[in-house]
């Protein structure tokens, strides 16, 4: 299969960077901006959850299609436009090799193709995209379908790192891939640690923790030993925030000044939150954010709220 053309909206992450933002033009701070974060459209989960069989790949995803269409519609109405729209993993529900995976992928790409051309898409890999225990083959499939599984890019003097959190969760079937990401991450954190950027921000699917860095290990966080090591690395490098999904609820906390932001789903909700998106404003001094329901964004817009967010301490 031939490599996708550069600039294809689903393959903008290539060579460990994002072609939408040329580094030579984006290394300098240019003033406040905002972006949109979403997570877990996960086409197929709502049907699987309703039947009590979440291990199935979900044979119907009409609700997720409609919700993701609403998300795209809401983003397209925003003025001014966000710098980008990042989806923090679990793009679809069917695991690698499972039934309906191709169809779910095609439908999601069809919906996302309607995003405004001025809003680049940024894709983060999740456990359903790669498998709970990823393999070289499943990672290669993701790269062919969505672009690199980890990469960095600059926007207006801010360094963004996109990580493959499955390699922190269970890399037993692809240890060489984990070692490669670890080396690359240390290099990127060195850049951040030398404070050559206005801020540094991380996107990954699985959060370090959902409430507290000392919480017990479970399905929705990284193992305590791993999260502590990463949290130490991130805080030492001056990382401002980590944005994630996976939990299907809004959550998070702080550790040594690092903001761990867990964003609920566009698709299936496992708590009391509404289907929604997070608006993240980056100013010279801070990174502030607020979660909105899809209806709020479509009906209200953001012009007044953006001004308020830029004033928040």
């Amino acid at each position: 299969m031939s490599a996708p053309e550069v600039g294809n909206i689903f393959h903008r992450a290539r060579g460990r960077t994002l072609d939408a933002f040329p580094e030579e033009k984006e290394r300098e701070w240019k003033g406040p901006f905002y972006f949109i974060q979403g997570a877990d459209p996960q086409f197929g989960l709502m049907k699987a959850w309703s039947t009590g069989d979440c291990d199935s790949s979900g044979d119907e995803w009409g609700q997720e299609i409609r919700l993701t269409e609403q998300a795209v519609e809401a983003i397209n109405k925003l003025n001014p436009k966000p710098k980008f729209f990042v989806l923090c993993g679990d793009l679809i529900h069917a695991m690698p090799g499972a039934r309906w995976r191709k169809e779910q992928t095609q439908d999601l790409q069809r919906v996302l193709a309607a995003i405004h051309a001025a809003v680049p898409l940024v894709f983060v890999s999740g456990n359903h995209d790669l498998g709970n225990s990823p393999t070289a083959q499943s990672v290669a499939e993701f790269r062919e379908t969505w672009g690199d599984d980890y990469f960095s890019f600059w926007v207006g003097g801010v360094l963004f790192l996109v990580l493959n959190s499955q390699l922190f969760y269970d890399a037993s079937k692809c240890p060489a891939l984990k070692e490669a990401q670890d080396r690359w991450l240390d290099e990127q954190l060195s850049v951040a640690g030398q404070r050559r950027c206005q801020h540094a921000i991380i996107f990954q699917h699985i959060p370090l923790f959902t409430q507290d860095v000392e919480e017990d290990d479970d399905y929705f966080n990284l193992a305590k030993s791993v999260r502590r090591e990463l949290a130490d690395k991130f805080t030492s490098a001056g990382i401002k925030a980590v944005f994630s999904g996976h939990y299907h609820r809004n959550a998070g906390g702080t550790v040594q000044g690092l903001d761990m932001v867990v964003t609920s789903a566009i698709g299936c909700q496992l708590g009391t939150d509404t289907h929604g998106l997070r608006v993240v404003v980056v100013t010279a001094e801070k990174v502030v954010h607020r979660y909105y329901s899809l209806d709020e964004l479509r009906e209200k817009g953001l012009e007044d709220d953006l001004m308020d967010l830029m004033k928040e301490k």
Side-chain angles (χ1 to χ4, degrees):
M1 185 179 294
S2 60
E5 294 179 3
V6 172
N8 180 308
I9 64 169
F10 303 119
H11 302 90
R12 306 210 70 157
R14 284 290 188 244
R16 304 299 174 204
T17 191
L18 199 71
D19 71 10
F21 300 106
E23 182 176 339
E24 64 273 12
K25 296 180 180 179
E26 297 289 345
R27 289 291 292 257
E28 300 299 321
W29 175 250
K30 300 175 183 177
F33 63 89
Y34 82 103
F35 63 87
I36 302 292
Q37 183 219 3
D40 302 275
Q42 204 159 342
F43 282 22
L45 175 59
M46 295 177 82
K47 174 64 179 295
W49 184 261
S50 70
T51 63
D53 184 12
C54 288
D55 290 331
S56 75
S57 53
D59 61 1
E60 201 281 324
W61 49 92
Q63 289 176 282
E64 288 96 335
I65 288 175
R66 289 187 289 274
L67 289 163
T68 309
E69 286 174 340
Q70 290 173 23
V72 169
E73 178 187 346
I75 292 170
N76 285 347
K77 285 184 175 180
L78 294 176
N79 186 31
K81 291 285 181 284
K83 283 290 188 179
F84 58 86
F85 174 31
V86 56
L87 274 171
C88 281
D90 278 4
L91 308 176
I92 60 172
H93 184 59
M95 291 277 194
R99 190 180 182 189
W100 308 118
R101 185 171 173 86
K102 178 180 178 181
E103 292 82 357
Q104 290 173 4
T105 298
Q106 290 174 336
D107 279 346
L108 178 57
Q109 290 191 336
R110 174 181 56 78
V111 173
L112 292 177
I115 200 81
H116 194 286
V119 184
L121 293 165
V122 180
F123 296 107
V124 181
S125 59
N127 58 304
H128 281 262
D129 306 311
L130 299 175
N132 288 320
S133 301
T135 65
Q137 181 179 352
S138 69
V139 172
E141 180 196 324
F142 180 88
R143 292 175 181 172
E144 185 66 30
T145 306
W146 301 104
D148 282 351
D149 56 317
Y150 62 91
F151 55 96
S152 64
F153 61 100
W154 291 80
V155 176
V158 177
L159 175 62
F160 292 93
L161 306 182
V162 174
L163 303 183
N164 178 346
S165 57
Q166 288 312 117
L167 297 179
F168 302 132
Y169 187 81
D170 180 5
S172 59
K173 296 179 180 177
C174 55
L177 295 184
K178 180 185 186 301
E179 291 170 6
Q181 179 177 250
D182 287 347
R183 289 193 299 271
W184 173 90
L185 177 58
D186 286 344
E187 292 169 0
Q188 298 296 314
L189 292 177
S190 176
V191 173
Q194 294 170 34
R195 304 302 190 267
R196 288 186 282 174
C197 50
Q198 192 73 23
H199 304 295
I201 294 171
I202 287 174
F203 300 122
Q204 60 188 56
H205 179 62
I206 302 178
L208 301 176
F209 55 89
T210 58
Q211 307 289 340
D212 185 274
V213 72
E214 296 299 328
E215 68 195 21
D216 292 339
D217 296 353
D218 64 29
Y219 173 79
F220 290 109
N221 59 24
L222 293 177
K224 190 176 293 187
S225 59
V226 175
R227 87 175 76 120
R228 283 172 171 165
E229 178 183 355
L230 288 173
D232 286 345
K233 282 187 175 184
F234 294 169
T235 55
S236 294
I239 300 297
K240 199 81 170 183
V242 177
F243 290 89
S244 70
H246 189 53
Y247 194 45
H248 293 255
R249 287 153 285 201
N250 287 309
T254 59
V255 54
Q256 299 179 51
L258 173 70
D259 194 9
M260 180 64 250
V261 185
V262 185
T263 294
S264 197
I266 293 172
C268 187
Q269 300 295 314
L270 301 185
T272 59
D273 296 298
T274 56
H275 309 281
L277 297 167
R278 189 172 298 276
V279 176
V280 186
V281 171
V282 182
T283 73
E285 300 298 327
K286 61 201 177 200
V287 177
V288 293
H289 49 87
R290 190 178 297 168
Y291 186 82
Y292 292 81
S293 73
L294 297 180
D295 288 339
E296 281 182 289
L297 277 182
R298 288 194 304 158
E299 295 168 7
K300 181 181 175 184
L302 279 180
E303 291 183 18
D304 293 338
D305 283 4
L306 284 175
M307 295 301 295
D308 291 340
L309 284 167
M310 288 180 183
K311 297 174 184 175
E312 287 187 10
K313 300 296 183 184

